[in-house]
Amino acid sequence: MSRLILVTGGAGYVGSHTTIELLAAGYEVVVVDSCVNCVAGEEGKLPPSLVRVQELAKKSLVGFYRVSLTDALALAGVFEKHRVDAVVHFAALKAVGESVEKPLEYYQSNVSGTLTLLQVMREAGVHRLVYSSSATVYGAPQYLPADEQHPTGAGLTNPYGKTKYFCEQVMQDLAASDKEWRLVSLRYFNPVGAHPSGRIGEDPLGPPNNLMPFVAQVAVGKREELSVFGNDYDTPDGTGVRDYVHVVDLAEGHVMALDKAFSKSFRGYASYNLGTGRGVSVLEMIEAFCRASGKPVPYRVVGRRAGDVASVVASCSLAEEQLGWRARRDLQEMCEDAWRWQKLHPNGFRSCQ
Ligand code: UDP
């Protein structure tokens, strides 16, 4: 019998792409999502992102529950109904700027939500979890490329980053307290791109905070111009350098992390970087997107954004050695796939209801 994976936040960007790969790998999947940050669809029906996940995977979910992780009773009910073998945990708020304005909401959703999930898992006797973490736990990196040994938690400038760091700490303490736990934290660098079908992709509910969705909206004519946040950084062209990774590569990384969580030899807690190891500047990204889309992307250089650092690039050798994972899709593919999704869905999933 195939294993059953509970995916929290499965209707969102990385969650929906990962759910497809889990189904393709032969897992059964139950999704729990509060839909606070995605197009929910009609009452009693699946969110449009998950309707398409089922279409693309040619396989149905075992269940979908519109439940917040902070609702312990409702969550426990899901674990009572289904014999879950492991959890992949995405559900969280993720806007860095908003987290500075609304710290309580971020700690409640991301930290309390994770604590509740882990408690409910323990009650249900489920001890395997893959966690959606972030390179933001490294703060302003002290050296590059940042490997997993790099100190975490120092100099974090916003509540969002702290919630990811705190949850990693909780998982480490939990793993130390009871050897039943198998917890794998994946530190994403900058997820971009979309499923190559163009049927699912990133769908920010307001103006995008991140570079690639903003560039895509300028290219499609939804926004007039991009603001480039500073060109006086200590980088080759002065603009910020990041390690962008294709969302389908990331999704595959979760399947490999689950293999690790199920392997006989693994116990405890481990964290892995998921990136490409290649730095791309804002100007390089604009150029690559123009090439992929054939559209101009007008931009204006403005001042630096508070809290930004010059460069962040991953060392990914640990994930390659221990998970057998490597990012295979290049910048061109990231831009082409993001553009296909954007072009077909200028209003995201709102147009599919
Ligand atoms: N950036 C930009 N304009 C935007 C959004 C982002 O110039 O509208 C820059 C930002 O300063 C950083 C890079 O693009 O150098 C990636 O930013 P993003 O918010 O996508 O990711 P993060 O800051 O989390 O790495």
Side-chain angles (χ1 to χ4, degrees):
M1 226 179 75
S2 46
R3 285 169 168 149
L4 179 62
I5 310 303
L6 186 144
V7 179
T8 77
Y13 175 43
V14 186
S16 57
H17 288 80
T18 300
T19 300
I20 292 187
E21 298 305 320
L22 290 171
L23 292 170
Y27 288 110
E28 303 289 341
V29 178
V30 171
V31 170
V32 169
D33 201 306
S34 69
C35 295
V36 288
N37 213 13
C38 72
V39 174
E42 286 168 40
E43 185 75 31
K45 294 213 176 133
L46 285 180
S49 59
L50 290 175
V51 171
R52 290 175 169 208
V53 163
Q54 294 191 146
E55 274 169 29
L56 291 165
K58 299 193 178 64
K59 192 170 159 185
S60 295
L61 298 171
V62 168
F64 169 73
Y65 298 88
R66 196 160 159 186
V67 160
S68 161
L69 293 192
T70 50
D71 184 347
L73 264 182
L75 192 59
V78 177
F79 280 83
E80 273 159 31
K81 188 145 187 235
H82 300 280
R83 198 194 47 76
V84 172
D85 292 296
V87 174
V88 182
H89 175 32
F90 296 101
L93 299 175
K94 62 171 184 179
V96 171
E98 186 187 58
S99 77
V100 178
E101 312 292 321
K102 300 178 174 175
L104 290 181
E105 280 82 352
Y106 273 69
Y107 289 118
Q108 171 79 6
S109 166
N110 298 9
V111 181
S112 294
T114 301
L115 291 176
T116 305
L117 172 66
L118 290 166
Q119 280 161 353
V120 169
M121 285 175 65
R122 183 174 61 186
E123 287 301 305
V126 179
H127 293 102
R128 293 178 170 87
L129 177 126
V130 174
Y131 177 64
S132 164
S133 189
S134 166
T136 189
V137 299
Y138 298 125
Q142 294 164 18
Y143 61 85
L144 292 174
D147 58 18
E148 291 80 353
Q149 302 303 316
H150 186 288
T152 58
L156 299 182
T157 53
N158 59 78
Y160 166 75
K162 290 179 194 171
T163 66
K164 293 288 158 184
Y165 170 69
F166 292 156
C167 288
E168 285 199 351
Q169 296 296 304
V170 168
M171 289 189 287
Q172 282 175 43
D173 291 342
L174 189 58
S177 74
D178 177 352
K179 63 177 176 18
E180 279 303 305
W181 290 98
R182 284 119 165 129
L183 306 169
V184 182
S185 178
L186 299 178
R187 295 174 178 161
Y188 313 158
F189 282 68
N190 291 57
V192 295
H195 192 271
S197 63
R199 298 280 294 161
I200 62 168
E202 186 169 14
D203 184 21
L205 287 186
N209 298 303
N210 296 112
L211 179 63
M212 168 89 80
F214 206 106
V215 168
Q217 291 195 2
V218 173
V220 86
K222 257 189 100 173
R223 300 191 187 271
E224 241 166 60
E225 66 176 16
L226 169 79
S227 297
V228 173
F229 298 143
N231 65 354
D232 56 353
Y233 284 106
D234 183 15
T235 60
D237 66 20
T239 64
V241 166
R242 297 290 183 274
D243 186 334
Y244 297 93
V245 54
H246 197 296
V247 66
V248 177
D249 278 322
L250 268 193
E252 291 171 355
H254 291 74
V255 177
M256 290 168 162
L258 258 189
D259 290 345
K260 172 102 184 167
F262 282 119
S263 72
K264 290 235 162 24
S265 56
F266 175 68
R267 276 172 192 283
Y269 168 88
S271 34
Y272 297 99
N273 287 344
L274 298 184
T276 63
R278 183 178 168 235
V280 170
S281 75
V282 176
L283 296 184
E284 279 179 278
M285 174 61 89
I286 295 171
E287 198 190 308
F289 207 92
C290 290
R291 212 173 324 123
S293 63
K295 301 282 177 192
V297 176
Y299 67 87
R300 182 197 309 264
V301 177
V302 300
R304 292 182 178 192
R305 183 172 65 178
D308 269 356
V309 300
S311 299
V312 185
V313 181
S315 158
C316 304
S317 46
L318 197 66
E320 181 152 13
E321 280 160 33
Q322 298 191 6
L323 303 179
W325 177 88
R326 193 167 55 84
R328 293 181 296 144
R329 296 158 178 88
D330 64 10
L331 181 62
Q332 197 58 25
E333 207 168 335
M334 298 177 208
C335 293
E336 282 167 9
D337 290 342
W339 175 240
R340 192 173 303 110
W341 155 252
Q342 181 68 70
K343 192 176 50 179
L344 293 172
H345 306 85
N347 296 312
F349 289 113
R350 266 142 298 204
S351 42
C352 333
Q353 292 194 81

